[in-house]
Amino acid sequence: MLAAGGVGVLIGARAQDAISSALAPITERDPTGLTGLLPSGGGWRYYSVTGNQPHRDENSYRLTVGGLVKTPTELTLADLRSLPQTGLTKDFQCVTGWRVREVPWSGVRLRDLLARVGVAAQATALRLVSFDGAYTESLTLEQASRSDVLIALQMYGKPVTRAHGGPVRLYVAPMYGYKSLKWLGGIEVTDRVIPGYWEERGYDVDAWIGQSNGRDDEPV
Ligand SMILES: Nc1nc2c(c(=O)[nH]1)N[C@H]1C(S)=C(S)[C@@H](COP(=O)(O)O)O[C@H]1N2
Ligand SMILES: [Mo]
């Protein structure tokens, strides 16, 4: 059973719930400390709706920013690293109930990148696209302009690992984990909100922690 918490393979919301609820009590009680030795240690569950981890390295990584922008742009990892970096230490919480406290993140504020490319007047939202070829997300421009929304390059002071969505993922602090798209490959500025992967499958588009998806309670 513990192996199910390892890197990767989940097929859908039902499987996700089943695995999360099967593993949560073990991880949270953890009388032995052994869960810290597992690949999923520290309470993290590694999710990939495609069942695998796409790969981009130092040289091959690109982030494309297009749609309703003044300057369509393609950024390398070096480009992203050369922009001002913002650090943030916050909890990460999945809508299925697990939470990892006090995660140190750093990266480029999404709003800083948007300011550089210049957003067109009719723009209202973003469509975020993963280079896994399947996962997408959305944010309104207002949400994307918050100071606690990062294009994350680092977690725990090190480059975001491939399993966690590296080299570049999103971290949307005030919302449930599904908004924090992994393996970020593209940002398209749009004139309306286009619901993302889980949102097409019934989860709330506005995924505020504690105020969405019918989950107003603190998770166990
Ligand atoms: N590309 C992609 N991003 C994703 C997901 C996914 O399956 N694919 N799962 C989301 C969900 S539901 C959560 S809770 C977090 C989990 O992040 P982790 O795998 O780093 O723990 O990633 C989010 N981003
Ligand atoms: Mo999640």
Side-chain angles (χ1 to χ4, degrees):
M1 185 161 67
L2 288 174
V7 171
V9 186
L10 284 181
I11 309 94
R14 292 287 161 266
Q16 218 172 54
D17 282 346
I19 290 170
S20 289
S21 53
L23 282 175
I26 295 166
T27 310
E28 268 139 32
R29 285 181 210 136
D30 192 23
T32 62
L34 278 173
T35 51
L37 303 174
L38 297 171
S40 60
W44 288 96
R45 310 283 185 279
Y46 296 90
Y47 287 162
S48 173
V49 297
T50 63
N52 55 44
Q53 295 175 45
H55 179 71
R56 295 284 188 282
D57 62 25
E58 204 63 36
N59 300 318
S60 59
Y61 182 79
R62 296 290 182 281
L63 173 61
T64 58
V65 189
L68 301 172
V69 296
K70 287 166 191 154
T71 319
T73 306
E74 193 174 86
L75 296 105
T76 64
L77 211 43
D79 293 334
L80 286 169
R81 288 193 188 122
S82 73
L83 296 174
Q85 305 291 304
T86 297
L88 203 62
T89 298
K90 296 254 185 206
D91 296 356
F92 188 89
Q93 189 171 321
C94 176
V95 71
T96 59
W98 57 270
R99 172 165 57 186
V100 182
R101 294 192 186 270
E102 304 278 306
V103 182
W105 299 89
S106 88
V108 179
R109 279 193 175 126
L110 186 48
R111 72 177 182 204
D112 291 349
L113 184 67
L114 293 174
R116 288 180 75 89
V117 297
V119 166
Q122 68 273 37
T124 66
L126 302 182
R127 177 168 171 80
L128 302 135
V129 180
S130 172
F131 59 77
D132 68 9
Y135 204 87
T136 59
E137 255 308 331
S138 69
L139 288 170
T140 65
L141 269 190
E142 194 186 348
Q143 292 163 358
S145 301
R146 290 176 56 114
S147 60
D148 54 359
V149 177
L150 293 186
I151 297 170
L153 305 182
Q154 299 210 336
M155 279 169 78
Y156 300 110
K158 295 192 184 124
V160 177
T161 61
R162 188 175 167 195
H164 276 305
V168 181
R169 77 176 294 168
L170 211 65
Y171 174 55
V172 182
M175 296 196 177
Y176 287 117
Y178 63 90
K179 301 301 282 193
S180 292
L181 174 139
K182 309 204 299 184
W183 307 296
L184 176 65
I187 300 174
E188 196 197 340
V189 181
T190 56
D191 61 2
R192 72 203 149 94
V193 169
I194 300 168
Y197 182 91
W198 284 119
E199 295 147 20
E200 283 175 340
R201 290 161 178 79
Y203 287 87
D204 288 353
V205 172
D206 295 323
W208 305 110
I209 291 171
Q211 299 168 45
S212 65
N213 296 289
R215 294 183 189 243
D216 293 320
D217 299 332
E218 284 285 287
V220 183

